[in-house]
Amino acid sequence: NTGLGDDPSGLIIPELKLRNGTLYCLLTGNAPLYDNDEFVGVYHWDDFNTKWIHHRVTVHHPKEVSDQYDLWAYPTSFDVDPASGTMWLVDLETNWNYLASGVWKSTDNGINWVRVKQFTFPYHVMAVGDRVYVCGGRSISMTGDAGWGDGGLLYSDDGGKTWSKNEQVPLLKNANSVAIDPTNSSMLFYTFFGGGMLHGPVP
């Protein structure tokens, strides 16, 4: 665990991914304390120096988010584009960081992270060629009203500048993850909390 931080209680790793022969991991917030902020983020394993390297220098505060809200309280997923090296990360709105979560992107190996999309409860991000998918809760308020931020089954074909929403599926709430069908790249799988798994065409 060299390089991941000093306190074992803060070493919560929700994902490991292998990209171009390099092993990456995501270290997330240690809820409910949220006191391991300096260690949160994407790492890669440096085999030569036998330690984890943190890909986080500056996480830019979105101008529309109040300065009182912390960023990256609880990241849930990441990906690294094998072709371009672009890094993606999604985090949940939690610890009272109202509308401060979303989809984050780094094109300089983690030196700068910029939010490209507000997303209240994202659980998974996946980069496939020129497209990036993000899945999560459809973002309704605790009273059941729509409009508490954005969410759903989103995808972007222009590096996160614009986003489309796939609503041509029977389930729209509680999306958990997405994966391309390994036997047919024109099809994909969506998984859902309490709803199982759906298989259908790529939007």
Side-chain angles (χ1 to χ4, degrees), residues 55 57-58 60 85-87 105-113:
H55 291 271
V57 178
T58 301
H60 295 275
T86 297
M87 294 181 167
K105 175 184 179 181
S106 175
T107 58
D108 54 12
N109 209 31
I111 295 174
N112 291 281
W113 288 90

Side-chain angles (χ1 to χ4, degrees), residues 97-140:
N97 59 345
Y98 181 62
L99 297 181
S101 62
V103 186
W104 304 80
K105 175 184 179 181
S106 175
T107 58
D108 54 12
N109 209 31
I111 295 174
N112 291 281
W113 288 90
V114 177
R115 191 176 77 169
V116 295
K117 177 66 176 172
Q118 187 278 329
F119 197 132
T120 307
F121 300 121
Y123 293 105
H124 186 244
V125 60
M126 177 182 68
V128 181
D130 293 328
R131 173 171 287 188
V132 59
Y133 292 89
V134 179
C135 295
R138 202 157 173 249
S139 300
I140 59 172

Side-chain angles (χ1 to χ4, degrees), residues 9-101:
S9 68
L11 301 184
I12 302 171
I13 310 293
E15 282 190 337
L16 288 166
K17 293 184 177 180
L18 190 65
R19 295 291 183 266
N20 290 337
T22 299
L23 181 64
Y24 294 86
C25 78
L26 175 66
L27 191 154
T28 193
N30 59 335
L33 297 176
Y34 300 108
D35 61 0
N36 66 336
D37 177 72
E38 65 179 299
F39 302 114
V40 169
V42 178
Y43 292 75
H44 87 269
W45 177 250
D46 182 342
D47 200 41
F48 181 79
N49 293 300
T50 61
K51 66 178 182 178
W52 291 96
I53 305 299
H54 200 185
H55 291 271
R56 174 181 179 176
V57 178
T58 301
V59 180
H60 295 275
H61 211 102
K63 61 181 180 180
E64 65 273 18
V65 174
S66 173
D67 290 340
Q68 74 188 77
Y69 298 127
D70 294 329
L71 305 177
W72 287 19
Y74 203 83
T76 52
S77 181
F78 80 100
D79 206 354
V80 180
D81 186 325
S84 67
T86 297
M87 294 181 167
W88 299 91
L89 178 147
V90 295
D91 67 323
L92 290 180
E93 179 176 307
T94 188
N95 198 31
W96 307 103
N97 59 345
Y98 181 62
L99 297 181
S101 62

